[in-house]
Amino acid sequence: MAKANVDFSAIDREKLPKHVAIIMDGNGRWAKKRMMPRSFGHRAGMERVKDIVRMSSDIGISALTLYAFSTENWKRPKEEVGVLMSLLIEYLRRELGELLKEGVRFRFVGMRDRLPAEVQSILDEAMESTKDNTGMDLCVLVNYGSRAEIVEAARLAAEEYAAGKISEVNAEEFEKHLMTAGLPDPDFVIRTSGEQRISNLLLYQIAYAELYFTDVAWPDFDEKEYLAALQQFAGRNRRFGDIK
Ligand code: IPE
Ligand code: IPE
Ligand code: MG
């Protein structure tokens, strides 16, 4: 992959987040401002994904989570949902080679059920072909909702308890059933485009994450903006309840 077009050599690698989760918001408003259809904004957003994935991997982030489609996003007009699904397919078809080259391990997180068959199969292909990679984990949330994930994890743990497979339902047993099992919790959450909310993203996993909200719309969130966010994270004092 080409190097990211921003100089990030000054940043202290020790102070980088290990797992960045991004709520990529504002594609629609970005397009509207340009008097273009929302699909134009989604396409511009997809271009941004490529840059941010590459920079994350180059800079040494160990996991990057991108919120691509929430369970609530099914409420949107059918055409827009179709555009989002097609762009996801297009992105993976075009970028899979690069992801492989960069050593990225792809992981789909979400509920498969409602996803079009073609989306399911490309997600499977991306996971299968990158599963032995040892570089950055790229976790893409599609048809994902955190509350449903938590309820399901609790249900599965309770089921195991009832069947006598586990002696108690504790955090460890519960976490095994989260869709993100095996990944470290995100320590940094970025949301673009001015909204200051979480929108059902990884509610359990981000309990102690640092939050970063920017007015910049996702299609304008370039490497420079990303670096500024990472620099802000590097300067934060994380106390975890302690007094350090
Ligand atoms: C983010 O942009 C993409 C998805 C949520 C899938 P939006 O489509 O939400 O853009 P706005 O928030 O309407 O501007
Ligand atoms: C959050 O964006 C979900 C994704 C980025 C996929 P939305 O645009 O759907 O969030 P709300 O509806 O404004 O909270
Ligand atoms: Mg939005």
Side-chain angles (χ1 to χ4, degrees), residues 107-138:
R107 179 155 165 182
F108 153 64
V109 168
M111 281 167 295
R112 313 177 64 92
D113 55 354
R114 259 178 103 173
L115 294 174
E118 205 184 345
V119 171
Q120 294 190 31
S121 73
I122 190 103
L123 289 169
D124 284 338
E125 187 189 330
M127 281 193 285
E128 180 56 29
S129 58
T130 63
K131 73 176 190 313
D132 296 324
N133 284 350
T134 55
M136 183 179 80
D137 282 303
L138 172 62

Side-chain angles (χ1 to χ4, degrees), residues 22-26 29 67-70 72-73 76 141 191 195 197-199:
I22 307 183
I23 303 173
M24 310 182 288
D25 198 16
R29 281 164 283 168
Y67 202 3
F69 192 90
S70 74
E72 290 72 30
N73 288 145
R76 296 186 181 199
L141 308 190
R191 183 171 189 143
E195 246 57 82
R197 56 176 170 260
I198 292 302
S199 302

Side-chain angles (χ1 to χ4, degrees), residues 85-97:
M85 294 297 155
S86 308
L87 284 170
L88 181 63
I89 295 169
E90 187 182 326
Y91 169 78
L92 285 172
R93 283 223 181 97
R94 265 178 28 193
E95 291 299 305
L96 198 50

